[in-house]
């Protein structure tokens, strides 16, 4: 009887060790989101989730229903070009800020509203940008972010 209890205890301990090892492996392999600190010349800063792959840029803030005031989404492109945006499946109104390769604000689209139609219009500033920053609607005005403002983008991971 005693041997049977010891075998059960050892089996339970081994099972617990395996479960903990699997859990640790999963946590260590979790793809943490890349982030960046984006600051404007008036010292207003946002912690921005980076979207720098085609898949990430296509989804952006789609299907999210909340964005903290100090958070943002930063789209990083390979080359400076004209990048239209749309609000399909985006549930929160946002300000969209296009930033040039020289780290200057080149266009601000204020209060872009969610699109509830199947075919959504694109927002096209017709200016070249390397970055596009999405923040909650009204924050560009609240914090005095203006076209031609200098921007500092500091990349780092969480």
């Amino acid at each position: 009887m005693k041997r049977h209890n010891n075998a059960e205890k050892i089996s339970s301990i081994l099972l617990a060790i395996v479960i903990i090892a699997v859990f640790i492996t999963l946590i260590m392999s979790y793809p943490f989101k890349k982030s960046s600190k984006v600051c404007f010349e008036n010292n207003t800063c946002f912690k921005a989730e980076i979207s720098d792959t085609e898949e990430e840029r296509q989804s952006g803030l789609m299907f999210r229903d909340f964005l903290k005031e100090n958070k943002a989404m930063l789209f990083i492109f390979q080359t400076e070009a004209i990048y239209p945006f749309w609000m399909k499946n985006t549930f929160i109104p946002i300000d969209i800020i296009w930033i040039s390769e020289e780290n200057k604000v080149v266009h601000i689209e204020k209060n872009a509203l969610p699109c509830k139609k199947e075919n959504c219009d694109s927002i096209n500033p017709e200016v070249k940008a390397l970055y596009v920053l999405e923040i909650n609607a009204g924050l560009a005005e609240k914090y005095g972010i203006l076209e031609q403002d200098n921007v500092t983008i500091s990349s780092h991971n969480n």
Side-chain angles (χ1 to χ4, degrees), residues 123-138:
I123 301 164
N124 188 347
E126 298 184 9
V127 294
K128 289 184 178 182
L130 185 61
Y131 310 98
V132 177
L133 185 73
E134 293 180 340
I135 59 176
N136 280 302

Side-chain angles (χ1 to χ4, degrees), residues 36-94:
S36 181
K37 186 175 181 182
V38 179
C39 297
F40 294 86
E41 64 184 53
N42 65 5
N43 294 320
T44 298
C45 297
F46 297 90
K47 183 174 181 185
E49 181 180 328
I50 295 175
S51 290
D52 60 357
T53 67
E54 189 62 34
E55 182 180 82
E56 291 170 342
R57 287 190 295 259
Q58 285 178 6
S59 60
L61 290 174
M62 283 183 168
F63 305 109
R64 298 191 193 188
D65 56 8
F66 180 75
L67 183 64
K68 288 184 179 181
E69 184 167 326
N70 66 336
K71 302 288 186 187
M73 173 78 64
L74 178 65
F75 298 82
I76 302 174
F77 296 92
Q78 298 294 322
T79 59
E80 190 174 58
I82 294 174
Y83 295 106
F85 273 60
W86 67 347
M87 297 294 292
K88 185 170 178 69
N89 299 319
T90 305
F91 301 150
I92 52 178
I94 57 175

Side-chain angles (χ1 to χ4, degrees), residues 40 95-98 105-111 125 140-141 144-149:
F40 294 86
D95 290 343
I96 308 172
I97 302 169
W98 282 261
V105 174
V106 292
H107 184 77
I108 302 172
E109 186 70 29
K110 295 180 180 175
N111 199 32
E141 187 168 319
I145 299 169
L146 302 170
E147 289 184 15
Q148 297 306 311
D149 278 357

Side-chain angles (χ1 to χ4, degrees), residues 1-14:
M1 213 49 170
K2 195 171 185 179
R3 239 184 250 175
H4 185 65
N5 284 342
N6 285 341
E8 285 179 6
K9 286 180 185 177
I10 291 171
S11 293
S12 295
I13 291 170
L14 288 174

